[in-house]
Amino acid sequence: MRSLNAERRAPKAKSLWAKLPPSGKIGGFILTLILLMMVASALNPVDPNATTPNRLSPPSLAHPLGTDILGRDTLARVLAGAENALYVGLVAVGIGLSLGLVLGVIAGYFGGWLDQGLSVLLETLYALPALLIALLLAAIFNPGVTTSMVAIGLAAVPAFARVARASVLSVKAQPYIEAAKALGMGPLRIMLRHVLPNILGPLVVQASLAFAAAILAEAALSYLGLGTQPPNPSWGRMLREAQSYQELTPFPVIFPGMAIGLAVLGFNLLGDGLRDWLDPRQRRQ
């Protein structure tokens, strides 16, 4: 029986991958590489913060991506930067998704003055970019990874709330919602059982796109000194440290820049692919 169920699940998973648009498949492949980089960082015996006398050395067998101004291995720091970027992106998107989902569902389901009040709050928050929120938090607390995660997460709340609100307004007009109300179900039960499962698709797409924005924002904040603090490796921080000696050797700038571009491209392609796959008009074809 177990083998029969496994055989049934395997073709289903294979069919989902087959139906995914090419952009989604490319994005998934790129993200697999990023995840492998994170795993390689955990297994890598080289300390990314260890200094050596070989400063600004080009790629070699000892240092496949060369070294920086302090003689630290660029490959080890790029791999560790992948772990840092995914961690910050995951927590930041989690903050934005959880807060935005709650606010969007409440605003879309109840409407009225509550919807108007939350809309004003979200519009005010939408006017504050992640950089400004990070500056405000850094003025109160110390700059660091936590500050950047909270700032990026708060900046992502309005986008998630808008997607959730629009989806709830569409679902709320369906007959099964009226039937649930006629059966005496309360608002909380209706939202959890009937509304939330039917709005997850757009939220998944938004989460994928927000992840790309979070990685880019984390690199920007680390570049400005508001994110990951030295000596901890961060792609944005690596670019900041390498810009003063990029005329001597371009490798400390090229590799973290390529890592940022690759991660952002992967999440954007995956988000575009999921959006096309979840579009009912595309699925009918």
Side-chain angles (χ1 to χ4, degrees):
M1 182 63 68
R2 292 183 179 178
S3 61
L4 180 60
N5 292 333
E7 291 177 358
R8 290 178 179 176
R9 289 193 298 266
K12 184 177 180 180
K14 185 177 181 181
S15 63
L16 291 178
W17 176 257
K19 293 179 181 179
L20 197 65
S23 60
K25 294 179 180 180
I26 297 175
F29 176 75
I30 294 175
L31 294 184
T32 301
L33 294 179
I34 301 297
L35 291 175
L36 290 177
M37 291 173 61
M38 183 180 67
V39 174
S41 174
L43 301 177
N44 187 17
V46 180
D47 185 0
N49 296 323
T51 59
T52 65
N54 300 323
R55 299 181 178 182
L56 300 180
S57 63
S60 62
L61 292 177
H63 304 285
L65 300 185
T67 59
D68 61 6
I69 190 64
L70 298 178
R72 297 173 296 188
D73 187 78
T74 302
L75 175 59
R77 295 184 64 78
V78 169
L79 294 178
E83 183 178 1
N84 177 75
L86 292 178
Y87 171 70
V88 172
L90 182 63
V91 175
V93 171
I95 294 174
L97 175 59
S98 57
L99 294 179
L101 177 62
V102 172
L103 296 177
V105 170
I106 292 176
Y109 185 83
F110 292 103
W113 64 269
L114 187 59
D115 184 17
Q116 295 178 359
L118 290 177
S119 297
V120 173
L121 176 63
L122 293 173
E123 289 296 332
T124 303
L125 187 59
Y126 188 77
L128 300 175
L131 176 58
L132 182 57
I133 298 176
L135 288 173
L136 294 175
L137 293 178
I140 303 174
F141 308 100
N142 293 327
V145 177
T146 303
T147 300
S148 62
M149 290 189 300
V150 174
I152 298 170
L154 292 178
V157 169
F160 282 106
R162 287 181 174 182
V163 173
R165 178 182 178 274
S167 301
V168 169
L169 291 176
S170 177
V171 171
K172 190 173 67 171
Q174 300 299 320
Y176 57 83
I177 299 297
E178 296 296 331
K181 293 179 180 178
L183 291 175
M185 291 187 180
L188 180 60
R189 186 178 179 184
I190 293 176
M191 285 187 288
L192 293 177
R193 186 172 181 178
H194 297 286
V195 175
L196 187 59
N198 290 286
I199 65 173
L200 291 180
L203 290 174
V204 170
V205 176
Q206 180 61 33
S208 179
L209 299 176
F211 217 117
I215 290 178
L216 192 60
E218 189 278 331
L221 292 176
S222 296
Y223 180 87
L224 296 174
L226 298 174
T228 304
Q229 299 298 302
N232 297 325
S234 169
W235 292 337
R237 188 72 190 182
M238 292 175 66
L239 290 176
R240 173 65 181 272
E241 295 172 348
Q243 70 173 3
S244 58
Y245 55 87
Q246 60 182 343
E247 296 182 357
L248 299 176
T249 175
F251 299 111
V253 177
I254 292 176
F255 295 118
M258 289 178 59
I260 295 173
L262 196 64
V264 173
L265 177 63
F267 278 106
N268 280 329
L269 289 177
L270 181 61
D272 291 340
L274 290 175
R275 180 178 56 194
D276 294 340
W277 180 72
L278 293 172
D279 190 350
R281 293 170 297 181
Q282 296 290 338
R283 299 180 70 174
R284 292 194 192 104
Q285 297 177 358

CSV table of all heavy atoms in Angstrom, one decimal, residues 25 32 37 43 62 122 139 153 175:
chain,number,residue,atom,x,y,z
A,25,LYS,N,11.1,27.1,-13.9
A,25,LYS,CA,12.1,26.0,-13.8
A,25,LYS,C,13.5,26.6,-13.7
A,25,LYS,O,14.3,26.1,-12.9
A,25,LYS,CB,11.9,25.1,-15.0
A,25,LYS,CG,10.6,24.3,-15.1
A,25,LYS,CD,10.6,23.5,-16.4
A,25,LYS,CE,9.3,22.7,-16.4
A,25,LYS,NZ,9.2,21.9,-17.7
A,32,THR,N,18.1,26.3,-6.3
A,32,THR,CA,18.8,25.1,-5.8
A,32,THR,C,20.3,25.3,-5.7
A,32,THR,O,20.9,24.8,-4.7
A,32,THR,CB,18.5,24.0,-6.8
A,32,THR,OG1,17.1,23.8,-6.9
A,32,THR,CG2,19.1,22.7,-6.3
A,37,MET,N,24.8,26.3,-2.0
A,37,MET,CA,25.9,27.2,-1.5
A,37,MET,C,25.8,27.3,0.0
A,37,MET,O,26.8,27.3,0.7
A,37,MET,CB,25.8,28.6,-2.1
A,37,MET,CG,26.2,28.6,-3.6
A,37,MET,SD,25.8,30.3,-4.3
A,37,MET,CE,26.9,31.3,-3.3
A,43,LEU,N,29.4,23.0,5.5
A,43,LEU,CA,30.4,21.9,5.5
A,43,LEU,C,31.8,22.4,5.2
A,43,LEU,O,32.7,21.6,5.3
A,43,LEU,CB,29.9,20.9,4.4
A,43,LEU,CG,28.5,20.3,4.6
A,43,LEU,CD1,28.2,19.4,3.4
A,43,LEU,CD2,28.5,19.5,5.9
A,62,ALA,N,44.4,27.1,-4.0
A,62,ALA,CA,44.3,27.3,-2.6
A,62,ALA,C,43.1,28.1,-2.3
A,62,ALA,O,42.4,27.9,-1.3
A,62,ALA,CB,45.5,27.9,-2.0
A,122,LEU,N,-1.7,51.4,6.2
A,122,LEU,CA,-0.8,50.7,5.2
A,122,LEU,C,-0.2,51.7,4.2
A,122,LEU,O,1.0,51.6,3.8
A,122,LEU,CB,-1.6,49.6,4.5
A,122,LEU,CG,-2.0,48.4,5.4
A,122,LEU,CD1,-2.9,47.5,4.6
A,122,LEU,CD2,-0.8,47.7,5.9
A,139,ALA,N,18.7,54.3,14.9
A,139,ALA,CA,18.8,55.4,15.8
A,139,ALA,C,18.3,55.0,17.3
A,139,ALA,O,18.8,55.6,18.2
A,139,ALA,CB,18.0,56.6,15.3
A,153,GLY,N,11.1,43.6,6.7
A,153,GLY,CA,9.8,43.0,7.0
A,153,GLY,C,8.7,44.0,7.1
A,153,GLY,O,7.7,43.8,6.4
A,175,PRO,N,-20.5,32.1,-3.3
A,175,PRO,CA,-21.7,31.5,-2.6
A,175,PRO,C,-21.3,30.7,-1.4
A,175,PRO,O,-22.1,30.7,-0.4
A,175,PRO,CB,-22.3,30.7,-3.7
A,175,PRO,CG,-21.8,31.2,-5.0
A,175,PRO,CD,-20.4,31.7,-4.7
